[in-house]
Amino acid sequence: MVFKIAPMDNYGERLEAALATQIKVELAERDMDQKDLAAAMGIERATLNRYLKGHRSMPMPIFFKLAESLAVSPQALMQRAEARIAE
């Protein structure tokens, strides 16, 4: 499964898009969907979907909970997202 990142003007927007893509990859690798992740995080699936679609920026506490729910360090998740920008 390949996810593409649309070109964007600033680094912050590109990083948010890359992070959303990486989260989708992490979900696919774990055979999870957004509903599973949202339940593990204790948030509504619609809220998670808004973060992943870029309709809302993800607060840091939510990002940390997301990483914990995926059993990956926040640093590793961010590094994987940053690597997508360089591709």
Side-chain angles (χ1 to χ4, degrees), residues 7-8 10 12-16 22 30 34 38-41 51 53 63-64 72 75 77 80 82 84 86:
M8 296 187 186
N10 70 52
E13 290 175 343
R14 290 192 318 264
L15 183 57
E16 280 195 67
Q22 186 60 41
R30 290 162 177 77
Q34 288 184 28
M41 294 172 64
Y51 295 141
K53 287 190 173 186
F63 174 70
F64 290 130
V72 62
Q75 180 183 13
L77 190 56
R80 293 171 190 169
E82 287 181 316
R84 290 186 170 283

Side-chain angles (χ1 to χ4, degrees), residues 1-2 4 9 14 16 18 21 24 32 34-36 43-44 46 48 52 57 60 65 71-72 80-81 86-87:
M1 183 176 299
V2 176
K4 296 288 183 180
D9 292 333
R14 290 192 318 264
E16 280 195 67
T21 299
K24 292 173 187 174
M32 293 175 70
Q34 288 184 28
K35 184 178 176 182
D36 298 326
I43 65 172
E44 296 291 325
L48 177 61
L52 297 181
S57 290
M60 291 304 292
K65 184 67 176 172
V72 62
R80 293 171 190 169
E87 293 177 346

